[in-house]
Amino acid sequence: MSSTEQGTSSAAPAEPTTAPESAAAPEVPESFYYVHGKDKVVHKVSAGALQHSALIHGMISNLGYTEEQAKANPFPFENIDGDILQMVVDWCNQHKGKPTPPEDTNLPKQKEKLFDLVLAVNYLEIKELLTYCCKQVAMMVKGKSPEEIREIWMIPTDAEDEAAEKEAKKRAGKEAAGETAAAAGDAK
Amino acid sequence: MKLHRMPHLVQRMILEELGFDERFFLSFTSKRTCSLLGLFRPDFKGISITINISKSKVSVRVQKPRAPRIPDVINEWEFNIPYKQYLMNDSPIWKIDGTAVQVEKYDSTILCCGLIDERVGSDTTSNSFVVFGKVLRHLNSVLNIERCQLCEFDMTIPVGLIPQLDFNFYYGRIDFLSGDSMFMTLEDLTVLLENIKTKQLCLIDIVLSVPGYKYQKNPEKKSSIDCLKIRNFDWVDFPELPAAKRIIISRKIEMDQMNMVLTSWVAGRNREIEIGEFETDEFSDRNRETIYTGIETHAPQLTKAEITSFFDSSQHSLNLRLLRNIVAVDILRESDGIRATIIEAAMESHVNQKLFVFVWSDSNLRTIGRANN
């Protein structure tokens, strides 16, 4: 039910191509919305599929867009990589109107992709997918030693944490000093 | 994949998916991770710690009951901490309660620990106690420990070990188990009784390493022991019992010792006690005279049904069916008029008799279904 097209988030995106409807299509024509990520590729997604995302569902309810307006104003998610948004859209389409299974084996195995997916799904508030993702993340450290867990989840050592904290304090101090100097300059 | 860069909600969801082993190992990666785990404690039931003390080492075994459906999962780890600490070549370093500890895996579930923090001095035995304390504090900070058993079969608890117990933690139950007597210094016993927080503390066979002394209660310290079980009572000062809401002494005490407990209570001491359970000789008029010497007694105000509900209450270890010849008498505390009912009862197929002290405290009266007027 989705299509993807190279385009921009400009007011009038090109007409996306639509995948063939399933045989059991609802009688009432379904409304579609458009989303794009960092790469500006616009994805056409049905309202039914978007119901998985509490964030988008809330936006749709509040905006009351007509299909024309929705087409003209794709929801921009600039903080989400295009391929990750594609994964999310695919998942929403696959699970549109269906009860979600207890496990999902189609999640990415590469840890960086999974990390980005978790952040995106959390942002978009897709509860079931977030649960699968968190299960998958937890599975990554099953049977691993503390050293292996540190590597997989990139956990800094205490010394690294302390150094980072010191650095952050130093930076905050410099910024505060800069602001004070600027304020003093303004006052003059 | 940076765990610490995940939003809080996501971190929580991930940590909730972790099994016992993964959570256990994750806690050793850094102080920050340990704090994170402390925020999201799992709902693991029945986790227990067993501390085994021997002549060469102290070990801490942490166990989670096996799930019936997955019996192959062991859910058990043991830290062996030798008194003679040594540097272990090429062993990984874990962060335990903020300190770098070398850990060597002996077999699938046994971890040998050595302290490599030079700041704590070169005394290897005290270093091992430091590690012991750190291991306990670490485990308490990330897991909900319900029960702690301290087992010692070589007669003596090493001096300085008890003060290393984690006194910030509220234990479900602490049992001191021994094949025979368990020797402890008066200082260590004092530290234990005045600092530990627990539902139940079993000091069944504790014997002072220097006999003849009694534990002197510090009146400044508030009781945090709900139930204290004692068998060997040589160290107990009867006019000033250790501070606990419920005290059970399961070895026969003399009638004059019982008199000391009650006289002291009437005079306003032994105030922490709400329920006492003592074993005495068979009751006779003469024995009763000894018990109540110098104490004004009154007709009992508890009804038979209330005494029954006292014994039936879940807090109580004895079944009413095993008791017979129940006789009750009341005494009053002089300073505030608080009442206590003293209940004597013979036990089925038992030479000794039981003497219960039921103080009319709010919680006790609630137990028997009577509001405090």
Side-chain angles (χ1 to χ4, degrees):
Chain A
M1 292 277 238
S2 83
S3 71
T4 304
E5 151 179 324
Q6 291 293 339
T8 66
S9 62
S10 60
E15 185 69 39
T17 54
T18 312
E21 294 285 336
S22 67
E27 285 175 16
V28 182
E30 199 170 9
S31 47
F32 288 88
Y33 293 87
Y34 300 85
V35 294
H36 75 74
K38 209 183 274 179
D39 61 355
K40 314 286 186 198
V41 175
V42 176
H43 305 268
K44 181 182 179 186
V45 201
S46 71
L50 282 180
Q51 283 213 332
H52 283 290
S53 164
L55 178 82
I56 302 176
H57 185 65
M59 289 162 88
I60 292 169
S61 313
N62 292 332
L63 292 171
Y65 275 176
T66 60
E67 186 142 5
E68 293 311 309
Q69 286 168 318
K71 206 185 281 183
N73 302 290
F75 293 123
F77 297 111
E78 304 283 356
N79 54 341
I80 302 174
D81 282 341
D83 56 340
I84 299 294
L85 189 62
Q86 176 73 64
M87 272 186 227
V88 174
V89 167
D90 288 347
W91 188 90
C92 289
N93 281 318
Q94 277 166 20
H95 296 90
K96 191 183 90 175
K98 287 182 201 162
T100 45
E103 275 183 35
D104 197 322
T105 50
N106 294 325
L107 296 176
K109 299 286 183 282
Q110 311 97 307
K111 60 181 184 177
E112 282 316 314
K113 282 267 177 278
L114 187 57
F115 177 73
D116 290 342
L117 181 63
V118 168
L119 292 181
V121 168
N122 178 58
Y123 178 71
L124 296 170
E125 297 175 55
I126 305 175
K127 204 178 153 199
E128 294 91 346
L129 184 53
L130 185 60
T131 305
Y132 294 141
C133 289
C134 290
K135 276 187 183 164
Q136 178 101 345
V137 174
M139 280 299 288
M140 292 166 91
V141 297
K142 198 170 170 61
K144 304 290 185 204
S145 69
E147 299 77 40
E148 290 166 325
I149 295 175
R150 180 194 299 289
E151 203 174 305
I152 294 166
W153 282 354
M154 298 167 82
I155 296 169
T157 60
D158 285 353
E160 287 167 343
D161 274 337
E162 277 162 25
E165 202 177 321
K166 241 183 220 171
E167 187 59 38
K169 266 187 194 163
K170 213 168 143 185
R171 218 173 25 244
K174 266 185 191 169
E175 278 170 16
E179 276 172 22
T180 315
D186 287 349
K188 275 180 189 174
Chain B
M1 173 68 64
K2 290 184 177 172
L3 177 70
H4 288 298
R5 282 185 53 200
M6 296 275 189
H8 232 47
L9 169 82
V10 177
Q11 286 175 334
R12 184 192 193 126
M13 289 176 76
I14 293 169
L15 297 183
E16 280 173 355
E17 292 294 333
L18 294 181
F20 177 78
D21 286 2
E22 288 75 40
R23 188 179 174 85
F24 178 74
F25 282 137
L26 176 64
S27 71
F28 299 113
T29 53
S30 75
K31 263 197 273 189
R32 192 170 160 205
T33 315
C34 198
S35 309
L36 185 68
L37 285 165
L39 289 177
F40 310 129
R41 284 168 184 263
D43 196 21
F44 294 147
K45 296 277 180 225
I47 297 180
S48 65
I49 285 180
T50 306
I51 300 161
N52 278 300
I53 300 166
S54 75
K55 282 183 175 145
S56 61
K57 67 177 186 209
V58 57
S59 67
V60 180
R61 193 168 73 221
V62 56
Q63 278 174 298
K64 178 182 171 287
R66 290 181 191 195
R69 282 190 203 162
I70 33 174
D72 294 341
V73 179
I74 298 170
N75 286 334
E76 174 181 312
W77 292 96
E78 183 172 321
F79 295 86
N80 275 350
I81 308 160
Y83 298 143
K84 198 168 170 52
Q85 294 273 291
Y86 56 90
L87 202 64
M88 291 175 270
N89 290 332
D90 303 327
S91 295
I93 293 165
W94 292 4
K95 277 287 171 172
I96 300 185
D97 192 38
T99 295
V101 175
Q102 271 197 309
V103 180
E104 197 171 51
K105 214 169 171 183
Y106 264 177
D107 73 8
S108 60
T109 60
I110 298 179
L111 309 158
C112 184
C113 302
L115 187 68
I116 55 164
D117 190 339
E118 289 165 1
R119 288 171 298 179
V120 294
S122 56
D123 178 346
T124 57
T125 308
S126 65
N127 278 2
S128 66
F129 293 165
V130 170
V131 178
F132 166 73
K134 283 182 175 292
V135 166
L136 284 189
R137 278 191 291 278
H138 181 92
L139 294 174
N140 283 335
S141 69
V142 293
L143 298 166
N144 290 325
I145 309 293
E146 288 184 9
R147 186 172 176 183
C148 176
Q149 280 191 327
L150 198 142
C151 309
E152 191 279 322
F153 300 100
D154 287 331
M155 303 292 283
T156 304
I157 293 182
V159 179
L161 189 80
I162 294 297
Q164 293 295 339
L165 286 172
D166 184 2
F167 294 120
N168 293 317
F169 191 72
Y170 183 77
Y171 295 90
R173 180 173 171 168
I174 301 187
D175 297 328
F176 282 71
L177 303 174
S178 164
D180 196 357
S181 301
M182 190 188 278
F183 288 96
M184 195 189 280
T185 63
L186 180 60
E187 291 74 21
D188 280 0
L189 181 65
T190 305
V191 168
L192 179 72
L193 287 170
E194 291 182 351
N195 293 289
I196 204 81
K197 301 179 193 80
T198 179
K199 272 187 197 157
Q200 184 169 302
L201 176 63
C202 293
L203 299 177
I204 296 298
D205 292 308
I206 291 292
V207 176
L208 289 184
S209 44
V210 180
Y213 287 93
K214 302 277 185 203
Y215 160 69
Q216 298 296 315
K217 183 166 60 183
N218 179 355
E220 300 293 312
K221 295 271 183 180
K222 291 275 175 222
S223 160
S224 290
I225 303 170
D226 290 347
C227 179
L228 176 62
K229 288 188 173 180
I230 299 166
R231 185 159 58 201
N232 175 62
F233 56 79
D234 292 347
W235 54 271
V236 175
D237 184 21
F238 285 95
E240 286 286 3
L241 290 169
K245 285 182 191 154
R246 186 171 166 210
I247 293 185
I248 299 170
I249 298 185
S250 59
R251 182 173 283 170
K252 190 184 83 178
I253 68 169
E254 299 301 325
M255 296 298 178
D256 63 325
Q257 290 171 322
M258 195 62 233
N259 174 259
M260 280 184 221
V261 173
L262 298 182
T263 309
S264 186
W265 186 84
V266 168
R269 297 194 299 277
N270 285 336
R271 291 181 87 92
E272 296 84 2
I273 190 170
E274 290 186 16
I275 293 176
E277 190 178 320
F278 305 92
E279 281 204 22
T280 60
D281 265 332
E282 203 170 336
F283 293 112
S284 64
D285 287 344
R286 196 173 160 190
N287 281 344
R288 285 195 187 102
E289 207 175 289
T290 311
I291 290 175
Y292 298 110
T293 298
I295 301 169
E296 194 180 337
T297 58
H298 306 269
Q301 297 290 303
L302 287 186
T303 63
K304 201 178 166 188
E306 285 170 336
I307 291 176
T308 304
S309 55
F310 164 55
F311 285 113
D312 285 347
S313 66
S314 57
Q315 289 184 354
H316 219 273
S317 56
L318 278 177
N319 192 319
L320 183 62
R321 279 174 299 177
L322 300 174
L323 301 173
R324 55 190 163 78
N325 303 338
I326 295 171
V327 178
V329 65
D330 281 3
I331 58 173
L332 298 174
R333 190 153 66 199
E334 285 164 353
S335 57
D336 53 10
I338 287 282
R339 183 178 291 270
T341 300
I342 315 301
I343 305 161
E344 54 178 65
M347 280 194 296
E348 201 83 55
S349 63
H350 203 291
V351 184
N352 295 332
Q353 307 224 356
K354 285 272 184 192
L355 199 106
F356 301 94
V357 177
F358 175 92
V359 177
W360 287 40
S361 64
D362 288 349
S363 60
N364 276 349
L365 290 175
R366 270 197 301 275
T367 305
I368 60 165
R370 187 198 280 229
N372 189 8
N373 297 319

